[in-house]
Amino acid sequence: MSKDKVQIFDTTLRDGEQVPGCKLNTAQKIVIAKRLDELGVDIIEAGFPVSSPGDFKSVEEISKVVKNATVCGLTRAVKKDIEVAAQALKYAKKPRIHTGIGTSDSHIAYKFNSTREQIIERAVDAVKYAKTFVEDVEFYAEDAGRTDNEFLARVCEAVIKAGATVLNIPDTTGYCLPEDYGAKIKYLKENVKGIDNAILSCHCHNDLGLATANSIAGVINGARQIECTINGIGERAGNTALEEVVMVLKQHPALNLDTGINTKLLYSTSQLVIENMGIYVQPNKAIIGANAFAHSSGIHQDGMIKNRETYEIMNPEDVGVNESAIVLTARSGRAALAYRAKKVGYELTKIQLDKVYVEFLNFADNKKEINNNDIHTIIKSSNLDNSIPA
Ligand code: KIV
Ligand code: ZN
């Protein structure tokens, strides 16, 4: 049975770039956009054109260079925003306008001082207006995560009728539990007239560390687009990490969902974003963190040396990392030491290894990590006989 396609909507250059300190210039954005296109994302949200002349320029330039992906511009449900976005997208082969408005009671009352009926009217007007410029219009119901499902369904139905082809259901505040977010998507699938003519999209923030889990719950329940960023960067605790959702779907074939992303480019794309934005990821970050394929405890190292699959559920090469690392520390065992010694040219007998291991532990207790030079030093100071090839 062929797999269902989940579209990957990358918002590194919009939601990701909103992070203080992540500001990119147009040239940097073009480099990243080209790489995202190569990576195989389906949609690149290139910016919020009305927000500044610089953002307008970036969206315009990105529209000129992207070859395969749809290029998208964000707007509020405001005519001027939509006009400016349409202008910025005029060179795009496949342009999309992403317009929307807050739908939760708190957004309606405090942000808009409005009513549910007026919000539906504004949503419909925005979508209809965007449709006069482009065919592909995505609608976002901001704070959908905290929006009552029945009202959300009414909004969705109205904007589909107005011409929206993608419905973004953002958990803007990162509040939802995976079960609740999944149930919300299921509710919309079952209760919105015309939903089969539209794609439901997950846009989950990571305030409680649940962005990836929520996005996956969304696609399990019928959503077919995930909005995400490289390295999970984004407002506050960030957005759903692209590399995580892509690899979850790849490593779980039983879900029968596919993204079409060239996963071998994930690591280098992550590095490209780090270099340009200057925002580092924690070493234990899933998929692309420095320790994602590093093994340091003796028990794990022994298992890894016998068979990689004992402690790894994916092949590092699949995400563009050359190989797993066996890191030597004071927690490492003889198997890891012998393995590294062999790599740097020493084939140790069991007796020799016992001797070197004692020296190694003394050394490692005073150093965080043992490198190849240290191995030479340790072996030299272990007073082994001359039979060891140097
Ligand atoms: O988090 C959010 O709700 C958003 C929308 C503007 C799509 O980023
Ligand atoms: Zn967002």
XYZ file of all heavy atoms in Angstrom, residues 67-168:
789
model
N 13.001 26.775 -6.681
C 12.632 26.069 -7.915
C 11.422 25.152 -7.746
O 10.581 25.069 -8.633
C 13.813 25.216 -8.385
C 15.010 26.024 -8.847
C 15.951 25.112 -9.645
C 17.059 25.905 -10.291
N 18.218 26.094 -9.402
N 11.378 24.447 -6.617
C 10.338 23.414 -6.486
C 9.247 23.738 -5.471
O 8.086 23.458 -5.704
C 10.985 22.080 -6.079
C 12.051 21.683 -7.062
O 11.796 21.617 -8.262
N 13.267 21.458 -6.577
N 9.655 24.277 -4.333
C 8.688 24.459 -3.239
C 7.721 25.612 -3.527
O 8.034 26.530 -4.287
C 9.436 24.739 -1.939
N 6.564 25.533 -2.865
C 5.643 26.672 -2.837
C 6.275 27.730 -1.932
O 6.849 27.398 -0.892
C 4.294 26.216 -2.236
O 3.698 25.293 -3.152
C 3.355 27.370 -1.978
N 6.180 28.992 -2.323
C 6.688 30.058 -1.440
C 5.481 30.780 -0.849
O 4.545 31.150 -1.558
C 7.601 31.049 -2.194
C 8.099 32.140 -1.246
C 8.780 30.314 -2.812
N 5.544 30.946 0.478
C 4.378 31.439 1.197
C 4.718 32.731 1.957
O 5.830 32.883 2.460
C 3.975 30.323 2.170
S 2.655 30.739 3.273
N 3.748 33.640 2.015
C 3.913 34.860 2.801
C 2.793 34.950 3.826
O 1.629 34.663 3.517
N 3.146 35.359 5.037
C 2.154 35.459 6.121
C 1.458 36.816 6.086
O 2.083 37.834 5.750
C 2.855 35.295 7.474
C 1.919 35.292 8.685
C 1.230 33.936 8.844
C 2.648 35.659 9.977
N 0.195 36.819 6.464
C -0.526 38.093 6.618
C -1.479 37.991 7.805
O -1.831 36.892 8.222
C -1.391 38.445 5.375
O -2.644 37.733 5.451
C -0.703 38.115 4.058
N -1.897 39.136 8.305
C -3.054 39.150 9.205
C -4.296 39.212 8.306
O -4.172 39.364 7.085
C -2.995 40.389 10.116
C -1.815 40.383 11.075
C -1.622 41.724 11.698
N -1.237 42.703 10.661
C -0.987 43.985 10.878
N -1.070 44.484 12.083
N -0.657 44.803 9.877
N -5.456 39.143 8.924
C -6.690 39.252 8.121
C -6.949 40.729 7.848
O -7.941 41.314 8.290
C -7.848 38.605 8.873
N -6.016 41.313 7.127
C -6.026 42.756 6.878
C -5.711 42.955 5.389
O -4.748 42.373 4.880
C -4.932 43.443 7.746
C -4.726 44.894 7.363
C -5.240 43.295 9.233
N -6.554 43.758 4.733
C -6.412 43.927 3.270
C -5.004 44.325 2.846
O -4.420 43.759 1.926
C -7.415 44.967 2.778
C -8.774 44.385 2.477
C -9.638 45.392 1.751
C -10.762 44.637 1.042
N -11.616 45.498 0.254
N -4.472 45.335 3.548
C -3.143 45.851 3.181
C -2.087 44.735 3.252
O -1.236 44.600 2.360
C -2.792 46.999 4.147
C -1.431 47.592 3.952
C -1.420 48.572 2.804
C -0.031 49.130 2.589
N 0.142 49.665 1.251
N -2.150 43.935 4.324
C -1.185 42.819 4.472
C -1.265 41.894 3.260
O -0.234 41.433 2.726
C -1.530 41.935 5.684
C -1.216 42.566 7.018
O -1.206 43.805 7.090
O -1.008 41.804 7.984
N -2.495 41.611 2.867
C -2.708 40.641 1.780
C -2.193 41.213 0.457
O -1.521 40.520 -0.322
C -4.208 40.258 1.715
C -4.593 39.503 3.006
C -4.520 39.422 0.474
C -6.078 39.305 3.221
N -2.459 42.481 0.228
C -1.974 43.125 -1.014
C -0.448 43.085 -1.068
O 0.161 42.761 -2.094
C -2.429 44.594 -1.068
C -3.911 44.755 -1.392
C -4.460 46.115 -0.954
O -3.668 47.028 -0.630
O -5.696 46.243 -0.922
N 0.174 43.431 0.076
C 1.643 43.484 0.106
C 2.233 42.077 -0.080
O 3.220 41.888 -0.803
C 2.130 44.152 1.423
C 3.637 44.053 1.566
C 1.675 45.608 1.475
N 1.601 41.094 0.558
C 2.105 39.713 0.409
C 2.003 39.277 -1.052
O 2.937 38.673 -1.601
C 1.327 38.765 1.309
N 0.884 39.581 -1.676
C 0.690 39.181 -3.081
C 1.770 39.805 -3.956
O 2.323 39.153 -4.854
C -0.700 39.596 -3.544
N 2.091 41.051 -3.661
C 3.131 41.743 -4.446
C 4.501 41.087 -4.233
O 5.255 40.864 -5.174
C 3.205 43.182 -3.953
C 3.128 44.212 -5.045
C 3.400 45.573 -4.443
O 2.929 45.875 -3.334
N 4.173 46.383 -5.141
N 4.796 40.787 -2.958
C 6.106 40.175 -2.656
C 6.242 38.806 -3.303
O 7.340 38.356 -3.612
C 6.288 40.060 -1.143
N 5.115 38.128 -3.503
C 5.146 36.758 -4.041
C 5.030 36.709 -5.556
O 4.946 35.631 -6.140
C 3.983 35.943 -3.426
C 4.089 35.613 -1.936
C 2.740 35.135 -1.400
C 5.161 34.555 -1.684
N 5.043 37.881 -6.196
C 4.688 37.880 -7.630
C 5.640 37.064 -8.512
O 5.244 36.604 -9.568
C 4.497 39.303 -8.172
C 5.723 40.168 -8.220
C 5.363 41.514 -8.851
C 6.550 42.449 -8.888
N 6.991 42.905 -7.539
N 6.888 36.851 -8.084
C 7.809 36.051 -8.911
C 7.774 34.556 -8.570
O 8.471 33.765 -9.203
C 9.246 36.549 -8.743
C 9.443 37.980 -9.198
C 9.667 38.998 -8.280
C 9.396 38.294 -10.560
C 9.849 40.305 -8.693
C 9.565 39.608 -10.983
C 9.788 40.607 -10.042
O 9.954 41.887 -10.455
N 7.013 34.193 -7.562
C 7.035 32.780 -7.137
C 6.356 31.900 -8.176
O 5.313 32.254 -8.720
C 6.338 32.627 -5.790
N 6.983 30.725 -8.431
C 6.357 29.761 -9.361
C 5.052 29.266 -8.760
O 4.063 29.081 -9.448
C 7.295 28.566 -9.565
C 8.487 28.862 -10.440
C 9.098 27.539 -10.948
C 10.267 27.806 -11.856
N 11.479 28.234 -11.122
N 5.123 29.007 -7.437
C 3.922 28.522 -6.744
C 3.709 29.398 -5.499
O 4.263 29.103 -4.443
C 4.121 27.056 -6.327
C 4.209 26.108 -7.513
C 4.250 24.660 -7.050
C 5.642 24.108 -7.043
N 5.764 22.756 -6.514
N 2.945 30.474 -5.604
C 2.762 31.365 -4.454
C 1.607 30.914 -3.546
O 0.617 30.384 -4.022
C 2.404 32.705 -5.119
C 1.765 32.327 -6.419
C 2.319 30.993 -6.838
N 1.776 31.140 -2.256
C 0.681 30.875 -1.307
C 0.562 32.056 -0.341
O 1.575 32.536 0.181
C 0.940 29.600 -0.503
C -0.104 29.382 0.606
C 0.134 28.132 1.434
N -0.027 26.920 0.657
C 0.070 25.691 1.182
N 0.299 25.530 2.477
N -0.069 24.625 0.408
N -0.655 32.483 -0.100
C -0.882 33.493 0.952
C -1.435 32.767 2.179
O -2.363 31.961 2.084
C -1.836 34.601 0.456
C -1.129 35.448 -0.605
C -2.289 35.483 1.635
C -1.966 36.573 -1.203
N -0.811 33.080 3.325
C -1.185 32.457 4.599
C -1.816 33.555 5.453
O -1.108 34.399 5.993
C 0.100 31.917 5.248
C -0.103 31.089 6.469
N 0.939 30.769 7.311
C -1.207 30.507 7.004
C 0.489 30.019 8.299
N -0.808 29.853 8.143
N -3.136 33.545 5.500
C -3.817 34.614 6.234
C -4.630 34.019 7.372
O -4.960 32.831 7.345
C -4.729 35.433 5.293
O -5.192 36.584 5.994
C -5.934 34.632 4.789
N -4.954 34.837 8.362
C -5.745 34.280 9.456
C -5.982 35.259 10.583
O -5.575 36.432 10.522
N -6.588 34.719 11.634
C -7.007 35.574 12.756
C -7.182 34.690 13.987
O -7.401 33.482 13.856
C -8.338 36.283 12.362
C -8.632 37.439 13.313
C -9.527 35.320 12.268
C -9.610 38.462 12.757
N -7.073 35.293 15.172
C -7.246 34.550 16.420
C -8.696 34.110 16.596
O -9.621 34.873 16.320
N -8.882 32.863 17.042
C -10.251 32.344 17.158
C -10.620 31.934 18.584
O -11.770 31.596 18.851
C -10.434 31.112 16.240
O -9.392 30.171 16.536
C -10.376 31.505 14.770
N -9.656 31.935 19.515
C -9.999 31.537 20.890
C -10.767 32.686 21.546
O -10.637 33.850 21.146
C -8.733 31.238 21.679
O -7.973 32.426 21.824
N -11.548 32.356 22.565
C -12.315 33.414 23.243
C -11.387 34.490 23.788
O -11.723 35.669 23.768
C -13.179 32.798 24.357
C -14.356 32.013 23.760
O -14.734 32.299 22.599
O -14.880 31.108 24.449
N -10.231 34.082 24.266
C -9.331 35.094 24.828
C -8.793 36.023 23.727
O -8.737 37.236 23.906
C -8.234 34.442 25.669
O -7.015 34.465 25.040
N -8.450 35.488 22.572
C -8.006 36.365 21.464
C -9.155 37.269 21.006
O -8.960 38.459 20.754
C -7.503 35.526 20.282
C -6.081 35.088 20.444
N -5.148 35.185 19.450
C -5.434 34.558 21.512
C -3.979 34.727 19.887
N -4.138 34.328 21.126
N -10.358 36.679 20.917
C -11.503 37.467 20.412
C -11.791 38.631 21.377
O -11.979 39.780 20.964
C -12.752 36.572 20.227
C -12.486 35.541 19.123
C -13.978 37.423 19.875
C -13.587 34.490 18.947
N -11.767 38.317 22.680
C -12.115 39.364 23.658
C -10.985 40.373 23.840
O -11.205 41.588 23.760
C -12.463 38.711 24.994
N -9.750 39.880 24.068
C -8.678 40.810 24.465
C -7.878 41.378 23.296
O -7.448 42.524 23.340
C -7.742 40.133 25.471
C -8.486 39.618 26.678
C -8.478 38.267 27.006
C -9.221 40.490 27.485
C -9.184 37.786 28.101
C -9.930 40.011 28.581
C -9.914 38.665 28.885
O -10.615 38.203 29.958
N -7.674 40.568 22.265
C -6.868 41.075 21.144
C -7.719 41.903 20.200
O -7.289 42.945 19.699
C -6.281 39.892 20.351
C -4.769 39.842 20.387
C -4.244 38.613 19.675
C -3.948 38.881 18.219
N -3.220 37.765 17.585
N -8.945 41.407 19.985
C -9.766 42.055 18.948
C -10.965 42.827 19.501
O -11.643 43.514 18.742
C -10.260 40.999 17.941
C -9.145 40.265 17.258
C -8.914 38.913 17.498
C -8.286 40.933 16.388
C -7.878 38.239 16.879
C -7.246 40.269 15.760
C -7.040 38.913 16.011
N -11.267 42.652 20.787
C -12.448 43.284 21.369
C -13.636 43.070 20.424
O -14.318 44.011 20.023
C -12.151 44.784 21.579
C -13.263 45.450 22.369
O -14.006 44.769 23.075
N -13.420 46.770 22.211
N -13.848 41.823 20.078
C -14.796 41.523 19.011
C -15.751 40.405 19.443
O -15.819 40.049 20.632
C -13.978 41.122 17.774
O -14.784 40.932 16.665
N -16.462 39.848 18.483
C -17.381 38.741 18.778
C -17.058 37.588 17.824
O -16.403 37.780 16.794
C -18.844 39.153 18.518
O -18.971 39.418 17.111
C -19.251 40.372 19.328
N -17.564 36.408 18.158
C -17.314 35.240 17.293
C -17.828 35.496 15.878
O -17.162 35.157 14.898
C -17.987 34.006 17.884
C -17.251 33.462 19.104
C -17.912 32.197 19.597
N -17.043 31.502 20.551
C -17.290 30.298 21.037
N -18.375 29.650 20.680
N -16.456 29.736 21.882
N -19.032 36.099 15.778
C -19.612 36.318 14.443
C -18.729 37.258 13.618
O -18.498 37.034 12.428
C -21.040 36.891 14.546
C -22.048 35.963 15.218
C -21.964 34.510 14.744
O -21.936 34.300 13.512
O -21.891 33.596 15.599
N -18.250 38.310 14.282
C -17.398 39.266 13.538
C -16.075 38.611 13.103
O -15.534 38.926 12.043
C -17.109 40.496 14.406
C -18.294 41.428 14.509
C -18.083 42.510 15.582
O -17.154 42.427 16.389
N -18.963 43.496 15.589
N -15.573 37.717 13.942
C -14.309 37.043 13.599
C -14.506 36.163 12.365
O -13.674 36.160 11.439
C -13.782 36.227 14.808
C -13.300 37.163 15.912
C -12.677 35.239 14.397
C -12.094 38.021 15.592
N -15.635 35.460 12.313
C -15.896 34.620 11.123
C -15.979 35.514 9.887
O -15.411 35.199 8.828
C -17.194 33.795 11.297
C -16.999 32.753 12.407
C -17.573 33.112 9.973
C -18.107 31.730 12.543
N -16.626 36.640 10.039
C -16.774 37.546 8.897
C -15.399 38.029 8.401
O -15.114 38.026 7.199
C -17.610 38.732 9.357
C -18.439 39.368 8.267
C -19.270 40.508 8.847
O -20.093 40.255 9.760
O -19.056 41.650 8.407
N -14.549 38.405 9.363
C -13.211 38.890 8.962
C -12.393 37.783 8.306
O -11.650 38.010 7.345
C -12.451 39.425 10.183
C -12.837 40.870 10.509
C -11.942 41.431 11.581
N -10.549 41.587 11.145
C -9.596 42.076 11.915
N -9.878 42.466 13.149
N -8.368 42.187 11.456
N -12.539 36.574 8.859
C -11.795 35.427 8.301
C -12.225 35.191 6.852
O -11.382 35.044 5.952
C -12.053 34.184 9.155
N -13.515 35.162 6.632
C -14.047 34.902 5.283
C -13.618 36.014 4.328
O -13.154 35.748 3.206
C -15.596 34.775 5.353
C -16.219 34.871 3.961
C -15.975 33.466 6.037
N -13.723 37.251 4.767
C -13.330 38.368 3.893
C -11.854 38.264 3.511
O -11.473 38.508 2.366
C -13.563 39.710 4.603
C -15.050 40.046 4.685
O -15.851 39.356 4.016
O -15.410 40.978 5.439
N -11.018 37.908 4.490
C -9.574 37.828 4.223
C -9.286 36.743 3.195
O -8.502 36.941 2.253
C -8.818 37.549 5.521
N -9.912 35.581 3.382
C -9.656 34.475 2.438
C -10.147 34.863 1.041
O -9.437 34.670 0.045
C -10.328 33.168 2.936
C -10.284 32.089 1.857
C -9.636 32.676 4.204
N -11.348 35.441 0.982
C -11.881 35.829 -0.343
C -10.959 36.850 -1.012
O -10.690 36.773 -2.212
C -13.282 36.438 -0.187
C -14.363 35.394 0.004
C -15.719 36.056 -0.060
C -16.831 35.021 0.058
N -18.096 35.626 0.459
N -10.459 37.773 -0.219
C -9.588 38.802 -0.799
C -8.267 38.172 -1.281
O -7.804 38.449 -2.392
C -9.325 39.907 0.226
C -8.736 41.149 -0.406
C -9.359 41.771 -1.490
C -7.546 41.696 0.073
C -8.807 42.905 -2.084
C -6.997 42.833 -0.507
C -7.628 43.432 -1.594
O -7.093 44.547 -2.179
N -7.703 37.297 -0.461
C -6.450 36.631 -0.859
C -6.653 35.833 -2.146
O -5.767 35.773 -3.010
C -5.962 35.724 0.272
N -7.839 35.231 -2.265
C -8.142 34.439 -3.472
C -8.159 35.286 -4.742
O -8.044 34.749 -5.838
C -9.521 33.783 -3.337
C -9.595 32.509 -2.556
C -8.758 31.370 -3.048
C -9.453 30.252 -3.730
N -8.633 29.029 -3.822
N -8.333 36.592 -4.596
C -8.326 37.420 -5.805
C -6.898 37.564 -6.348
O -6.695 38.004 -7.470
C -8.926 38.836 -5.557
O -8.075 39.528 -4.632
C -10.346 38.764 -5.032
N -5.894 37.202 -5.514
C -4.491 37.323 -5.948
C -3.858 35.971 -6.291
O -3.061 35.879 -7.214
C -3.648 37.988 -4.854
C -4.076 39.395 -4.535
C -4.877 39.660 -3.430
C -3.692 40.455 -5.348
C -5.274 40.958 -3.139
C -4.083 41.758 -5.068
C -4.884 42.023 -3.954
N -4.144 34.972 -5.464
C -3.530 33.648 -5.694
C -4.574 32.549 -5.505
O -5.575 32.736 -4.804
C -2.358 33.364 -4.703
C -1.180 34.284 -4.943
C -2.814 33.442 -3.253
N -4.286 31.403 -6.107
C -5.206 30.269 -6.008
C -5.047 29.563 -4.648
O -6.002 29.092 -4.044
C -4.866 29.314 -7.171
C -5.844 28.209 -7.432
C -7.300 28.651 -7.397
O -7.621 29.721 -7.958
O -8.119 27.938 -6.774
N -3.773 29.533 -4.198
C -3.425 28.743 -3.021
C -3.483 29.625 -1.761
O -2.578 30.431 -1.499
C -2.000 28.195 -3.248
C -1.549 27.241 -2.154
O -2.282 27.070 -1.170
O -0.450 26.676 -2.300
N -4.563 29.468 -0.998
C -4.726 30.287 0.214
C -4.841 29.372 1.428
O -5.685 28.477 1.466
C -5.974 31.198 0.121
C -6.197 31.943 1.435
C -5.824 32.195 -1.030
N -3.955 29.623 2.392
C -4.005 28.875 3.653
C -4.557 29.803 4.726
O -4.160 30.964 4.819
C -2.585 28.396 4.026
C -2.524 27.807 5.428
C -1.224 27.076 5.733
O -0.472 26.738 4.782
O -0.969 26.848 6.939
N -5.458 29.257 5.534
C -6.029 30.058 6.630
C -5.525 29.526 7.965
O -5.521 28.320 8.194
C -7.565 29.972 6.602
C -8.193 30.663 7.776
C -8.342 32.051 7.781
C -8.591 29.948 8.910
C -8.879 32.716 8.892
C -9.127 30.598 10.022
C -9.264 31.976 10.002
N -5.081 30.429 8.868
C -4.711 29.988 10.224
C -5.711 30.530 11.239
O -6.106 31.692 11.186
C -3.288 30.403 10.613
C -3.028 31.897 10.707
C -3.285 32.605 11.879
C -2.493 32.594 9.625
C -3.021 33.967 11.977
C -2.234 33.961 9.702
C -2.505 34.642 10.880
O -2.252 35.983 10.959
N -6.113 29.632 12.134
C -7.004 30.012 13.232
C -6.099 30.146 14.457
O -5.876 29.164 15.185
C -8.048 28.935 13.450
N -5.556 31.325 14.659
C -4.560 31.482 15.725
C -5.153 31.081 17.081
O -6.311 31.377 17.375
C -4.053 32.938 15.766
C -2.769 33.047 16.568
C -2.232 34.473 16.653
O -2.918 35.396 16.180
O -1.142 34.639 17.212
N -4.347 30.408 17.873
C -4.767 29.883 19.185
C -5.881 28.846 19.063
O -6.699 28.677 19.977
C -5.193 31.019 20.126
C -5.034 30.637 21.602
O -4.332 29.640 21.904
O -5.616 31.318 22.460
N -5.860 28.117 17.942
C -6.846 27.040 17.749
C -6.748 26.007 18.875
O -7.738 25.388 19.246
C -6.623 26.361 16.403
N -5.547 25.870 19.421
C -5.348 24.903 20.509
C -6.279 25.173 21.679
O -6.699 24.249 22.375
N -6.597 26.445 21.914
C -7.487 26.789 23.034
C -8.856 27.266 22.529
O -9.602 27.921 23.256
C -6.828 27.857 23.916
C -5.571 27.331 24.627
C -5.024 28.335 25.602
N -4.661 29.579 24.929
C -4.331 30.704 25.562
N -4.326 30.736 26.885
N -3.994 31.790 24.890
N -9.135 26.977 21.264
C -10.438 27.381 20.718
C -11.418 26.225 20.863
O -11.065 25.066 20.591
C -10.298 27.747 19.219
O -9.376 28.828 19.099
C -11.637 28.164 18.613
N -12.613 26.566 21.277
C -13.671 25.571 21.412
C -13.896 24.872 20.054
O -13.992 25.531 19.017
C -14.896 26.377 21.907
C -16.204 25.772 21.529
O -16.376 24.605 21.861
O -17.024 26.462 20.890
N -13.926 23.536 20.075
C -13.957 22.769 18.814
C -15.148 23.106 17.919
O -15.029 23.152 16.701
C -13.944 21.260 19.104
C -12.553 20.795 19.487
O -11.577 21.546 19.395
N -12.452 19.556 19.940
N -16.305 23.310 18.577
C -17.503 23.574 17.768
C -17.360 24.887 16.991
O -17.680 24.967 15.803
C -18.709 23.692 18.691
C -19.776 22.655 18.413
C -20.876 22.754 19.438
O -21.765 23.612 19.287
O -20.812 21.979 20.415
N -16.860 25.900 17.680
C -16.672 27.190 16.996
C -15.577 27.073 15.930
O -15.721 27.578 14.810
C -16.338 28.290 18.011
C -16.073 29.620 17.349
C -17.056 30.248 16.587
C -14.819 30.232 17.456
C -16.800 31.467 15.935
C -14.562 31.442 16.819
C -15.555 32.057 16.062
N -14.513 26.349 16.276
C -13.415 26.171 15.313
C -13.943 25.505 14.035
O -13.580 25.901 12.919
C -12.312 25.328 15.955
C -11.008 25.181 15.183
C -10.355 26.532 14.897
C -10.018 24.300 15.965
N -14.819 24.538 14.213
C -15.397 23.849 13.044
C -16.212 24.833 12.201
O -16.153 24.792 10.958
C -16.270 22.685 13.500
N -16.919 25.730 12.856
C -17.706 26.727 12.091
C -16.770 27.636 11.285
O -17.022 27.962 10.133
C -18.533 27.594 13.059
C -19.814 26.906 13.516
C -20.642 27.838 14.376
N -20.987 29.084 13.709
C -21.184 30.249 14.325
N -21.087 30.328 15.639
N -21.487 31.328 13.644
N -15.673 28.051 11.936
C -14.708 28.914 11.233
C -14.148 28.172 10.020
O -14.096 28.704 8.902
C -13.547 29.337 12.179
C -12.492 30.140 11.429
C -14.066 30.116 13.382
N -13.745 26.919 10.252
C -13.127 26.140 9.160
C -14.100 25.999 7.992
O -13.711 26.169 6.823
C -12.704 24.760 9.665
S -11.298 24.840 10.778
N -15.343 25.675 8.322
C -16.336 25.494 7.261
C -16.505 26.779 6.442
O -16.553 26.760 5.211
C -17.665 25.104 7.905
C -18.543 24.310 6.991
C -19.640 23.585 7.775
O -19.312 22.747 8.642
O -20.815 23.882 7.529
N -16.542 27.885 7.156
C -16.756 29.173 6.470
C -15.570 29.525 5.567
O -15.761 29.995 4.440
C -16.983 30.267 7.510
N -14.350 29.279 6.042
C -13.205 29.678 5.204
C -12.983 28.707 4.036
O -12.497 29.107 2.987
C -11.886 29.893 6.017
C -12.034 31.058 6.979
C -11.434 28.640 6.724
N -13.390 27.449 4.225
C -13.316 26.521 3.078
C -14.274 27.020 1.992
O -13.925 27.089 0.810
C -13.673 25.068 3.490
C -12.563 24.469 4.358
C -13.884 24.187 2.255
C -12.872 23.097 4.926
N -15.481 27.384 2.414
C -16.463 27.907 1.441
C -15.922 29.146 0.737
O -16.165 29.378 -0.450
C -17.749 28.294 2.180
C -18.868 27.308 2.002
C -20.187 27.979 2.317
C -21.168 26.944 2.824
N -22.027 27.471 3.866
N -15.121 29.931 1.479
C -14.572 31.161 0.898
C -13.376 30.876 -0.017
O -12.893 31.775 -0.702
C -14.157 32.120 2.019
N -12.877 29.623 0.013
C -11.808 29.276 -0.923
C -10.505 28.807 -0.305
O -9.540 28.531 -1.039
N -10.445 28.704 1.032
C -9.178 28.242 1.644
C -8.946 26.775 1.294
O -9.877 25.967 1.356
C -9.230 28.408 3.157
N -7.708 26.459 0.926
C -7.407 25.072 0.557
C -6.600 24.353 1.639
O -6.500 23.136 1.647
C -6.625 25.026 -0.775
O -5.623 26.045 -0.731
C -7.529 25.276 -1.953
N -6.031 25.132 2.555
C -5.300 24.546 3.685
C -5.780 25.241 4.953
O -5.921 26.470 4.988
C -3.765 24.745 3.539
C -3.021 24.076 4.684
C -3.275 24.209 2.203
N -6.050 24.439 5.987
C -6.512 25.007 7.263
C -5.465 24.735 8.323
O -5.228 23.581 8.690
C -7.825 24.355 7.702
C -8.987 24.463 6.727
C -10.195 23.752 7.279
C -9.318 25.929 6.481
N -4.841 25.799 8.792
C -3.811 25.664 9.812
C -4.461 25.749 11.190
O -5.176 26.704 11.488
C -2.790 26.799 9.596
C -1.671 26.782 10.613
O -1.564 25.849 11.406
N -0.846 27.815 10.582
